[in-house]
Amino acid sequence: QRQTINTVTETLRPITLAQLVTHYQEKEMSDSNGKAFSTRAGYQVYLKNWIVPAWGAKPLSEIKTVALEEWLASLSLANGSRAKIRNLMSTLFNHAQRWEFFDRNPVTLVRCSAKREHVPDILSVEDVSALLGQLEGAAYIAVFLAAVTGLRISELLALQWRDIHFDTLEITLQRGIVHQHIGPLKTEASKKPIPMDATLAEKLFDWRGRCAYNQAGDWIFASLEKHGTQPLWPENLLRRHVRPAAE
């Protein structure tokens, strides 16, 4: 495929979408291009599971606006997921135009709603209190910390004890973790210190005294299955503890 891409680059002939995807991955999805790991991981899922299987063999000139719109509408996915696939397809064609593989973007006029299909459940103080009453250990501390700080789960599970400053009552965010890949925080704004009140500090201090891994470089929510070398997997935390308690 790389040889084909090189030939196409020189002659500027139309290429298939699969070849365009390969070129885009090589040029835009490396570690040095600035995209967050979570973004790249999401792109790979959409490319592998939906876009390439459906459109990979087609030349760019044969991909039409209405056909794309009808295909998106046929997918058994939430509106938000369909919108993300549509936007990634548009990004691919923008890439093709930039490299002069193709002269238009058929996705521009594709209509695809991103409207929520269900109103999110917002937990009340009473709901959170009831949920915490069903939890213990790491799950209790994780849910309490999430509820009072609003941290993303990728930020929360990446916390180490060195990030908790009991003297100044602050939490500093240094890293994020997605699919057990440790990387930078999603945004610059995320680096702003998080204040702790006395109750949160007390609970974290108590947890540090009880948990198996409590040294400065240890994960606050260390995986016992991995002997503390990794934090808990988000899905394990949710599936084994939080979701049953919520139900």
Side-chain angles (χ1 to χ4, degrees), residues 34-94:
K35 286 187 175 64
F37 177 83
S38 57
T39 299
R40 288 183 279 135
Y43 280 8
Q44 294 288 22
V45 169
Y46 290 131
L47 290 170
K48 178 182 177 181
N49 293 341
W50 286 283
I51 293 175
V52 172
W55 300 96
K58 288 187 175 294
L60 301 186
S61 59
E62 293 184 12
I63 299 177
K64 306 297 184 182
T65 298
V66 174
L68 277 173
E69 192 171 291
E70 292 176 346
W71 171 69
L72 285 168
S74 73
L75 297 179
S76 299
L77 296 170
N79 287 342
S81 295
R82 286 198 290 262
K84 288 177 182 177
I85 292 174
R86 178 227 178 262
N87 293 340
L88 179 52
M89 288 283 285
S90 184
T91 297
L92 290 172
F93 275 96
N94 286 340

Side-chain angles (χ1 to χ4, degrees), residues 12 71-72 75 81 83 105 124 128 136 150 154 166 213 221 224:
L12 303 183
W71 171 69
L72 285 168
L75 297 179
S81 295
N105 186 340
S124 66
V128 174
E136 58 184 15
S154 61
F166 294 106
Y213 301 95
F221 305 106
L224 299 180

